[in-house]
Amino acid sequence: MAKEYETVIGLEVHVELASKTKIFCGCSTAFGGAPNTHTCPVCTGMPGSLPVLNKQVLEYAIAVGLATNCDITRYCKFDRKNYFYPDNPQNYQISQLYLPICRNGYVEIETENGKKQVGIHEIHMEEDAGKLIHDEWEDCSLVDYNRSGVPLIEIVSEPDMRCADEVIAYLEKLRLIIQYLGASDCKLNEGSMRADVNLSVREVGAKEFGTRTEMKNLNSFRAIARAIEGEKARQIEILEEGGKVIQETRRWDDAKEYSYAMRSKEDAQDYRYFPDPDLTPIVVSDEMIDEIKAKQPEFRSEKMERYKEQYGIPEYDIEIITGSKRMADLFEETTAICNQPKKVSNWLMVETQRLLKEESMDPEDIRFSPENLAKLIALTDSKAINSSVAKEVFEVMFHENIDPDAYVEEKGLKTVNDEGALRSTIEQVIADNPKSVEDYHNGKEKAIGFLVGQTMKAMKGKADPAMINTILKELL
Ligand code: ADP
Ligand code: MG
Ligand code: ZN
């Protein structure tokens, strides 16, 4: 009889924090500067330079810990993780091993299997490494230290997940919490959120966990789901053949849908961790915790409740809108200007979703402003433009955040409200289409649709369809 297997998954998630400056020096964290321009003696590991902790980093780490039900470590330290690699100029990474800032938390996820808590073993603060560039020259590799010292938190889960759906629900939950906190934009494709997947399989009913592998290089939810399926199958096949899974780090190649062994897994002892003597221990006071608690934003579930009461929009809309910080902000800010929650929600639910999908864009990257969306809604309310022109303007606004008032003016898209002009156009359409007119008189109601269409065309789309209808019926 075939054996049945269960998958066991734990995640190590790195998140780049949104502080303006690096974790231990004043250099900018801005992405994309010319190589080695955001650097100083500290983040390039010069002898004699001394790190100083950025308080904002500590505050973000604590805020994430509080939002994920962690205990905050009141006396915490930094440790040196020693290893040689050219992207690591000090030959050690400043991280936390013995006393990480947060421990023993959990987040609640919901999947088709119902609700479940995923434990968080710890969250620690650490610095990012520089970036090696291998591809462009044949005889050498170059290094850019702009990213060296960019603040990270690493969120280590318990091995509580059992399938790809749970992993994705967990990551989405974490991402939303962190985005709501403003602690990071959490973009997998840009590397501001990176997930390493630890996975093992065991026979259903077994008490002990199997040997795990760790997979790196996963930069989308889809890649993560595929990597989980691929690695699970690979491990089961090894066990079925009587072999043993080796504990190692593997690199997922999403194009080939296969993972490759990178290196055997190091133990903590291989890194010769020891407390960093350059940084003083951190004592987190009650006042600091209270202050951070007081600043915590409204999270999704509270937001959903409030939307239901305050705006009365459908629950489905609320789900989608609160599923992204940017969408929720846009919704609230636009509604604050125009006071028409349902109309705002419609734009966000229909046209915005369509264009996001078309562009494979993350809602966090939406560029148009609440002011401009409110202006567009006002233009349709006053019937200055009709709904198909509005969609056209919206699409341009979605891509370029244009001011709809100015755009409509400039392109001459206003509905022609001159009844005389409209009436004479309709008269012409009626004269030109005797067949449709006859059909209409013979009871073919549909013929009127054609005549409205012809009129709209003659008016270059700039007419109010309701007004055309009324005049047409009157003239017929
Ligand atoms: P290390 O210290 O070697 O990195 P950890 O104990 O910190 O190992 O665990 C790293 C990650 O691997 C955690 O997210 C944990 O949940 C997960 N993990 C540990 N053991 C297993 C296992 N047998 N199967 C799947 N995941 C595991
Ligand atoms: Mg680890
Ligand atoms: Zn620096």
Side-chain angles (χ1 to χ4, degrees), residues 9 27 51 76 87 158 164 186 222 249 253 276 297 312 324 412-413 438 445 464 475:
I9 307 167
C27 292
C76 94
D87 66 3
E158 298 293 349
C186 291
R222 255 173 294 158
T249 304
D253 184 329
D276 193 309
S324 143
L413 295 173
E438 199 189 314
E445 284 282 332
D464 174 12
L475 291 178

Side-chain angles (χ1 to χ4, degrees), residues 409-429:
E409 200 60 53
E410 182 196 328
K411 301 272 168 187
L413 295 173
K414 275 219 172 110
T415 300
V416 178
N417 275 324
D418 175 350
E419 212 196 302
L422 187 56
R423 194 172 279 271
S424 61
T425 307
I426 294 174
E427 279 164 356
Q428 191 59 49
V429 168

